Amino acid sequence: MNRPAKIAVAGSINMDLVVTAERLPVPGETVMGRQFRMIPGGKGANQAVAAARLGAQVSMIGCVGGDTFGAQMLEGLRGEGIDTAFVATAEETSSGVALIQVQGGGDNSIVVVPGANAALTPERVSQAEEAIRGADVLLVQLEIPLESVRRAVEIAHRHGVKVILDPAPAAELPLSLLRQIDLITPNETEALILTGGAADASPDASAQDGRTVSESIRQLKERTGGAGVVVTCGGKGVLYDLDGKQGADPAYRVDAADTTAAGDSFNAGLAVRWSEGAPLEEAVRFASKVGALTVTRFGAQTSLPARDEVEAFEAPFRDDPA
């Protein structure tokens, strides 16, 4: 492909309020933190910024509040060269906020308050049909109303645009939606929930539930009617079933500082390389590099790498592939 990839992203736009500490408190406990920062985030905006830094032309479809955070986040998206023509402002609503706690080793816990993201209605999504129709790939997640996700996917499906669904936070999804996507990218816990596991599943829930990730992939293939499935397994790498080929890629061995936005950057890398005409297996390997670089840095959008950094990235693989 001689032209840049064209990516449309329908999703959340948040301000991340991030604190770091040696460990996270248990209920009723107070611990002393190390650092506090305000960093633009939201799964949708993270994916949009990541794709733009990887060289794509990006259109963002979302909603911010009529507050200082909203103005700051819009300015930030435009500064990345992202088309914000279809980012609405809900004047009487606060912008979405994510409260993120990061502990030593990079693991995090997140509470999201949707705010203006809930005001991204199907009608507002329909107004962005031009942007979706002109894209190579539509990226969607689940931090906006499900009916709005469905509208975006319906528009893309109608115009023959590829759809990548990042099913986070995991929720029960209708078959009518799943049958219109081309690729689904859950992590281990999300894959379990999507195939009937407990909504409060832990990271090792697949073992507790008696199912393997491979079994979840098989069930997702059935539910989607044959869409590609890529399951990210953190430090264990990636498992996938793409175009009838099953495989596993090990993770890169890096020093993790913060896992925030790793999944978002992975999805962006996948969308960009796929849009550029790369086979999906190659796109997965590229996306793994993007995700690996992301976890070596602190914050959401502050951690997202540029294309030249990804292409120059070299690191050994871990010894424990998924």
Side-chain angles (χ1 to χ4, degrees):
M1 177 180 289
N2 295 321
R3 62 169 177 80
K6 294 183 178 180
I7 309 295
V9 183
S12 57
I13 306 172
N14 293 331
M15 183 62 76
D16 291 349
L17 309 179
V18 188
V19 296
T20 61
E22 180 60 31
R23 64 178 180 83
L24 302 184
V26 298
E29 182 188 19
T30 298
V31 300
M32 296 299 292
R34 292 175 174 175
Q35 187 181 35
F36 168 75
R37 295 178 68 183
M38 293 192 303
I39 304 171
K43 296 191 71 65
N46 292 344
Q47 292 179 6
V49 171
R53 292 184 186 171
L54 295 173
Q57 293 179 357
V58 182
S59 295
M60 182 73 212
I61 303 159
C63 191
V64 298
D67 52 16
T68 301
F69 285 168
Q72 290 175 342
M73 292 187 292
L74 268 176
E75 182 180 357
L77 291 171
R78 291 167 181 157
E80 298 285 349
I82 295 169
D83 181 3
T84 61
F86 300 106
V87 177
T89 298
E91 293 291 351
E92 302 303 318
T93 305
S94 62
S95 294
V97 171
L99 307 176
I100 302 175
Q101 300 177 97
V102 182
Q103 65 181 348
D107 290 334
N108 62 51
S109 62
I110 304 173
V111 176
V112 176
V113 181
N117 293 302
L120 182 59
T121 62
E123 291 71 28
R124 281 177 163 152
V125 172
S126 292
Q127 293 170 6
E129 182 166 354
E130 174 187 351
I132 297 172
R133 182 180 64 236
D136 300 309
V137 170
L138 169 70
L139 272 168
V140 288
Q141 328 77 36
L142 301 177
E143 288 185 340
I144 57 175
L146 182 58
E147 59 267 27
S148 299
V149 174
R150 294 181 67 169
R151 181 67 57 84
V153 171
E154 288 167 1
I155 293 170
H157 186 70
R158 185 166 67 247
H159 291 291
V161 175
K162 298 172 184 175
V163 177
I164 297 177
L165 170 62
D166 175 10
E172 185 174 346
L173 298 173
L175 285 178
S176 58
L177 169 63
L178 292 172
R179 294 297 171 93
Q180 292 185 318
I181 65 172
D182 298 277
L183 190 59
I184 188 167
T185 60
N187 62 26
E188 290 176 275
T189 302
E190 292 157 356
L192 177 65
I193 294 172
L194 290 167
T195 54
D200 59 350
S202 63
D204 61 351
S206 58
Q208 297 172 10
D209 189 69
R211 282 186 287 164
T212 64
V213 175
S214 296
E215 176 62 15
S216 291
I217 289 175
R218 186 191 66 77
Q219 292 184 41
L220 283 172
K221 290 287 289 188
E222 291 180 355
R223 294 203 71 205
T224 60
V229 180
V230 178
V231 178
T232 57
C233 304
K236 295 181 290 183
V238 177
L239 282 168
Y240 59 81
D241 187 322
L242 302 169
D243 299 326
K245 298 178 182 178
Q246 294 81 40
D249 284 346
Y252 291 95
R253 188 179 295 281
V254 296
D255 293 326
D258 180 7
T259 57
T260 305
D264 300 330
S265 67
F266 179 92
N267 277 276
L270 194 58
V272 170
R273 280 301 286 140
W274 196 20
S275 297
E276 293 172 345
L280 271 172
E281 291 174 84
E282 179 185 329
V284 168
R285 288 189 288 273
F286 177 83
S288 294
K289 288 186 175 184
V290 179
L293 271 169
T294 299
V295 303
T296 64
R297 303 165 181 172
F298 184 78
Q301 291 171 28
T302 51
S303 69
L304 303 173
R307 182 63 175 258
D308 59 351
E309 294 178 287
V310 179
E311 292 179 344
F313 174 75
E314 292 184 7
F317 290 114
R318 292 184 180 271
D319 298 327
D320 54 345

